[in-house]
Amino acid sequence: MTQRISKSKRFYMMNPIVQFFKFIWLSIKIMLVVAGGHGGTRKVNN
């Protein structure tokens, strides 16, 4: 288990892009939920 934890920690430490992608994914989910609640999902332009 300790090796697994260290491996996962190393993976996240060496790959901050994964955490960044997770943050972006969460923000996109929230934006989609808010836009869906307002009924203006197609009005949002990236």
Side-chain angles (χ1 to χ4, degrees):
M1 292 300 291
T2 53
Q3 284 183 354
R4 264 192 181 183
I5 292 167
S6 66
K7 274 188 180 181
S8 65
K9 277 187 178 180
R10 275 187 189 177
F11 177 75
Y12 283 115
M13 289 281 279
M14 287 177 64
N15 289 326
I17 298 171
V18 176
Q19 292 179 348
F20 189 65
F21 179 74
K22 278 186 180 181
F23 176 75
I24 291 175
W25 181 244
L26 284 174
S27 63
I28 289 172
K29 267 190 179 182
I30 293 169
M31 282 186 68
L32 281 174
V33 169
V34 171
H38 285 289
T41 52
R42 291 186 182 177
K43 287 183 180 179
V44 176
N45 293 329
N46 292 333

